[in-house]
Amino acid sequence: MLLIHCPYCDETLPESEFAYAGEAHINRPADPSALSDEEWRDYLFIRTNARGPHYERWRHIHGCGRFFNAVRDTVSDRFLMTYEAGEARPDLTVKEAAE
Amino acid sequence: MTHFSAMSLLRNALTGHKNWREQWPDSQPKAEYDVVIVGAGGHGLGAAYYLAKEHGITNVAVIDKGWLGGGNTGRNTTIIRSNYLYDESARLYDHALDLWENLSQELNYNVMYSKRGVMMLAHNVHDVQSFQRHVHSNRLNGVDNRWLTKEEAKAFCPPLNISPDARYPVMGAALQMRAGTARHDAVAWGYARAAAARGVDIIQNCPVIAIRRGPDGSVQGVDTAKGFIKAKKVAVSAAGNTSVVMDSAGVRMPLESFPLQALVSEPVKPIFPCVVMSNTVHAYISQSDKGELVIGSGTDQYTSYSQRGGLPLIEHTVAAICEVFPIFNRMRMLRKWGGIVDVTPDRSAILGKTPVEGLYVNCGWGTGGFKATPGAAHTLAWTVAKDEPHPINAPFTLERFTTGRLIDEAAAAAVAH
Amino acid sequence: MSRYRIPGMGRVDPAATVSFTFDGRTYQGLRGDTVASALLANGVHLMGRSFKYHRPRGVVTAGSEEPNALIGTSRGKGRFEPNTRATVQELRAGLTTESQNKWPRLSFDIGAVNDRAYMLFSAGFYYKTFMWPRSFWDKVYEPFIRAAAGLGKSPTEVDPDSYAHRNLHTDVLVVGGGPAGISAALTAAKSGARVVLVDENPEMGGSLLSDPSVRIDGRGSWAWLAEQLSQLRAVGVRLMTRTTAIGYYHQNFVGLVERVTDHLDQPPHGAPRERMWHVRAEQVVLAQGALEKPLVFDGNDRPGVMLAGAAQTYLNRYGVKVGDNAAVVTSHDSAYYAAFDLVDAGARVAAIADTRDSVRPDLLDAARKRGIQVLTGHTATATEGRLRVKSVRVNPVRNGQVGAGRKIACDVLLISGGWTPSLHLFSHTKGSLTWDADSRTFLPNHKTEACQIAGAGRGLWGYGPVLEDGVKAGMAAAQALGRSAEGSDARVEGDRPGTGSSQKELPTDRSPGKAKAFVDYQNDVTAKDIRLAVREGMRSIEHVKRYTTNGMATDQGKMSNINGLMIAADALGKEPPQVGLTTFRPPYTPTSFGAFAGYHKGATFEITRKTPIDPWAEARGAVFEPVSLWRRAWYFPQAGEDMHAAVARECRMTRASVGMFDASTLGKIEVAGPDAVEFMNRMYTNPWTKLAPGRCRYGLLLGEDGFIRDDGVIGRMSQDLFHVTTTTGGAARVMNMMEDYLQTEWPDLDVWLTSTTEQWATVALNGPNARKVLEKLVEGQDLSDEAFPHMSVAECTVAGLPARLFRISFTGELGFEVNVPARHGLQLWKAIHDAGQQYDICPYGTETMHVLRAEKGYIIVGQDTDGTVTPQDAGLDWAIGKAKKDFVGKRSLSRPDIVAPNRKQLVGLLTEDGTKLEEGAQIVLDPNQSLPMTMAGHVTSSYDSVALGRPIAMAVVTGGHGMMGKTVHIPMPNGTIRATVTSTNFYDPTGERLKA
Amino acid sequence: MTTQRHEFDPTPFLVEELPWAPRFSLRVRPEHRAALAGALSLELPSKVGQRSTAAGTEVLCLGPDEWTILAQDADALTTASSAAYAQIPHSLVEISDREITLRISGAQALTALTTGCPRDVEAMPVGTGARTLFDTATIVLWRDDRQSFRIDVWRSFLPHVHAILDQVLVELKSGL
Ligand SMILES: Cc1cc2nc3c(=O)[nH]c(=O)nc-3n(C[C@H](O)[C@H](O)[C@H](O)COP(=O)(O)OP(=O)(O)OC[C@H]3O[C@@H](n4cnc5c(N)ncnc54)[C@H](O)[C@@H]3O)c2cc1C
Ligand SMILES: NC(=O)c1ccc[n+]([C@@H]2O[C@H](COP(=O)([O-])OP(=O)(O)OC[C@H]3O[C@@H](n4cnc5c(N)ncnc54)[C@H](O)[C@@H]3O)[C@@H](O)[C@H]2O)c1
Ligand SMILES: Cc1cc2nc3c(=O)[nH]c(=O)nc-3n(C[C@H](O)[C@H](O)[C@H](O)COP(=O)(O)O)c2cc1C
Ligand SMILES: [Zn+2]
């Protein structure tokens, strides 16, 4: 059972209050009809499935209800950070340097 | 290769088992192969075996980052069945079943394929409709699968609780008699031994770091921890790690890797005669030939490469088992473990050619690819040898995610009212 | 007093006799005994049979790592469990136990013939044989192999006990209540931290209970222990005994299982048998101690051969002398102390054979003083004794040469191959290990979690160093929590330092190929099996494990892993760290299923949701069906009616007059805000802009892949407010999907979603007399067709209750749906029921609802569609807002395969001969094909229609929309049925009744 | 370890179902929170978990833009809401019937909650609240006192929560 920091509640809480919501920063195209079948497939189905730091979404579904983003290492399952939905993809190298 | 038989066993017993030979040698990579297969699971080893046996291509290396069979082949609940709904799937899995039937003899390795029957429980009207649909479709596809009343189900599997008061009462079941289990490790070892006997190199503890492509885009070989290995054809059969390997060839995949857990109980005398699956309650169970109850759990919600998994999920699984089989409440869990399964959007495999010349892929089996091992390996070998789809694997392309021609068994069983 | 009990020793209560049975014989033990200690006190060593060879076995250990002494235990009906370790099960009055894996009896077991043929049963033998003739596998070989497998027998009755769960958050969790754990807990607690200390034993103390010889802080060690425990209590440490840490998960989440009642004579009413604790700790201290290893030599498994530490435990903790005349074979100093304690308690120790050439002089002295002969540089090469060891053969080893052996008579043989730090939990976290070349053991290395490892668990030896280490770990934990901690060092007198060496199998002068030198006792894995595996190419330790099953028994390698590794490494010509260990996995010891399930059993296995009207249905004898988490009234049988008759009546009465239906389970979402209509436009396929307030519309929701996900009627309550309904099973999913788009794709929209599924109770009224019934109850709304036409919605009063009233129909009849606040749902239902009496109003269930809607061709998402059906496939193109530029799923509808001809399309089917089709039956165009047939679709819904006087069906058929009037075939096991393709709108196709 | 004693506890905790009371879900963008609070004469705490009480109306902040309101005067609230809507778009939805509230109090109330709540209830300050879980049911948990809690449970989930609490009660009464 993971331990997750909700950036909205500013609390670190057990995984059972949260729902995983897939890879983050895959924005819905503004005009889907302008996309080729391949581009639309990429949006629908192609996933990074990163081994290591993974940008992903969670929802604090049994809590504040907010969707938010996280970077989690998929090898250790450890969260590197969480941040609010809509925030830009953080640059991990900067974060590491700061630590 | 020493032929295995009761006689050879007896002969060796009399000489203190000193004369058994290696089942496969500890190969070191050569500079070049005709075909390199990434991943020494059942699928990869099987493909190598069929390449050698049926296509005469023996200059083949199977490369694994760890010990052979240490991926999902070595950690699955070994359920084998072919009563799938769609023609494409039924054909593929039934082809595998045909091969399972004689696999021990073919490989001269007892893989203990046990046709104990797989029974799938229906707990609500929707399940009944869905399973009936399977039964009918299977019948017309020539795949064995029949409907049991709940009393028949109980007679077939006495530990089953069919009380109408259960939270999820059993309303009937679909039974495939030809289905069952096999000894997971023996499948990997049997293929490894038989492939090695035909000249295939099995290279362990050698992670493939990248697939190298030439200026024209075609495959040139693989970079590994033991150096570059040249090959015009590379087949990736890396299960949970497929995305990472394919990414190195510049091919992005419609895959996500999740931790999937399983567990065994302490061993007991025979009590459970078949395999039972309940999708609604999320319980999968059989008894192994060593006596443990082998129980499958679900995937954790998040992607992971950690081969671990959480406790709550296991608690749910065990509760589900005890709901359906209340006599097991005082049994004890001996061990639980995790594997990494790669899941496609339609939960069917991707099997065959890729947009890259010389690159083939066999992945996306999710929680259910052990049963397909001989079938997938057999048809992949064909595709690699001939550079064209086998009629059976032809529908399982990558293109289907572009065109929308998905093979979605899970969606077909979708629960909604 | 039993023959082998020593008065005045042990922590058992000499005044409290407890009787129990073993294999039908009654024995006396004392309160505080385990089954094993009590049997040993009675001179019983033979307690079980091994897995493969059925060799007679006695206890090897005194703890949870026991591989041999597994018994069946029971306390009355439904309370039997197999494979219980006799070394752990505490005595309780009336305990019944039995031995396992033997026939006809423990002392004479037919299965032991396997032992004679043991050369045949070498590692992996079954992979090499049983293949011919092919058919024999299913019928002969496999059943034979299976019958031989397994240890105890499974329970066969339902367990009447209950099991509990608890969550616990703490600053520090200390696992292991030995000296290291105790001092860590006390140190951390004194810093003000919340501390939990757990130990799997019935009391804290760890090795102090087994070896109390030292004095600590000037007191006897047990007096010191008692004082420590009261201090721990005083500073508020939660002490949990009989509690095993079973698994160490992510971010210091540890699963504990507490055995609550198995030791009690009379468990109090309501007490759970076991309790699973989910602990989240800021800091974890692992003080699990170390496990002693056996030595591997021919005959090291006879009853009476046990670990030296175990013998010491039986003596000091239980006051039981395991024999009168012991011999010792060891490679570690600790066995000397065991021997000394035995001699001091009045037993004889014939000799200590030490594999090492040199031994600490003080040990030799102490042995000599006690009259014990010490043979250094010796190996053990054989034992004798069938059901109890009689002698051991020891031989000198000089320069690798094994000299002549001599027999030493004994009635117990104590062995010690050194100690392995218990790093199981640490390994669960994927913490890495490092090989310590001096002690030849693995020690913890890189940590992945916030934990400290202390005591024997990290290779320390002797109470002084271990106590000090515990203090350090406690301080480290406290400091990591930002607290300042002080440690006080304990003064230990008479400490027993110790070292030793790890061994492969002991050298022998006989043919090693013939030796039955056991590595894994329970699974009967011998040293030669491991060497055979390596010879056959199993170079990875994981292959060795799987090929030989070494370490796969119920002790999970606690006895066998390191010995197996030593032998495998030797066979491979490598150093042990190059070979490595297999993976430790949870649970630490085998754990009851019941403890995992906890409260989730029977009625509380999973939530059952019920509507406010459910009690009425239940009182009326309704039959229910589960739909997602809900239970819904399926039909309301009257006396003598079966389902078919009840549904036929409900259908008839509804169409003839009026029926009522509990629709409360439908999902409801309040979509509110200035951008509500824009949001609806983006989510649903339909256009919403022009829908006037007070009107409603059927809404269709797709996934982004273009396939139908959900549907429902949606009312526009006002300009900025929509009352959305969803399917029963889809409610939560739809809500989540909407929130997802709203929060992450369109956060700019001013709109909010509130689930109101349970705010409203919903009653549907259908039938030509629906208006007449309702009119009597409605205030504030004219129900005439002009004022309130089909697809209207209004707020008004119904039966005196504030209501949202919809005029909609899922039956094709004049229909209304009344929503009132849920607490009034039952009142509304009764009011309508009363008002409808005059029209013979008929309550109906989900089955009738399904029939009536099918007669109109209305789909059920999930039944007539699965996750592969598009709006066009379902004939719902009309629900797509053609002018809309975008909505969820729109882009996918133009993918090549979605626009391809010959997709499966939803149609009606009427059988030519009037038989009712089976749902799920497959459709073919050419009935004369051979198998496998090309299928063209399947029947999605099929019912006997009372209104039409014939069965009707819906089906998806390839190119079905273009096949109206054509014949298709449904091949069934007993003949093929012909059916005509029709529209799905079977009943009242022009919709007259709807508009009534 | 010689004697086998256990202490029985006749009343470990008490579960009461509280009477119906008007309850609303209020949603508004954070930037409009203060303005809306003024318009509705409410104190809307800005931090998730915080509560306010004024004139008998209780407010609990459940999310950055979500509050549960136990209204003293429901009509006044809805009227004020309608009046403010045009200026300050928001959503006020009545949910009085969606949840039923239980009060759980007594010496072992906290223990009872820890059987089903995964979060650290003990650490939750008195006077705060949170949406969380009890067993598999979503609940809103209010801590009113050290040993007194309220939980709001969706109506159809209540029997399950009750059934588990009943088992826990029996368990705690046994003293083990
Ligand atoms: C717990 C569990 C239960 C399951 N239950 C069932 C079941 O009951 N029935 C069923 O049919 N299926 C089941 N499955 C699924 C099944 O196990 C798999 O689909 C199947 O075994 C996959 O076989 P494989 O040979 O493709 O993969 P694997 O056996 O996983 O082999 C892939 C190999 O690739 C190697 N590899 C990966 N990356 C690299 C690299 N970069 N370089 C070199 N080598 C690499 C890995 O080390 C691994 O050995 C289950 C899976 C799990 C985890
Ligand atoms: N017989 C002997 O002479 C002997 C043997 C071993 C150790 N010692 C001495 O004992 C000391 C070791 O002290 P220590 O405190 O490190 O270890 P310990 O062995 O005294 O205590 C460890 C405790 O942890 C418990 N435990 C282990 N895993 C557990 C789990 N998963 N859940 C719950 N409980 C668990 C064990 O049952 C044991 O009670 C050393 O000083 C050593 O010299 C003496
Ligand atoms: C079908 C099956 C049966 C198993 N039976 C046992 C068993 O009896 N004892 C045991 O210790 N492990 C058993 N295992 C689990 C393995 O020990 C191991 O956990 C699993 O292969 C995963 O590897 P890992 O735990 O080393 O990562 C079994 C695994 C499978 C797939
Ligand atoms: Zn939150």
Side-chain angles (χ1 to χ4, degrees), chain B residues 365-377:
Chain B
W365 293 97
T367 60
F370 178 70
K371 59 178 75 66
T373 305

Side-chain angles (χ1 to χ4, degrees), chain B residues 52-66:
Chain B
K53 178 185 168 238
E54 305 210 336
H55 306 281
I57 303 175
T58 56
N59 186 25
V60 175
V62 187
I63 307 180
D64 203 287
K65 64 184 166 78

Side-chain angles (χ1 to χ4, degrees), chain C residues 2 96 143 214 216 250 279 349 372 398 716 722 904 927 943:
Chain C
S2 310
T96 319
V214 292
I216 309 177
H250 303 98
V279 180
V349 173
I372 307 171
R398 295 284 172 270
R716 190 165 195 175
F722 289 83
K904 287 181 181 156
Y943 305 98

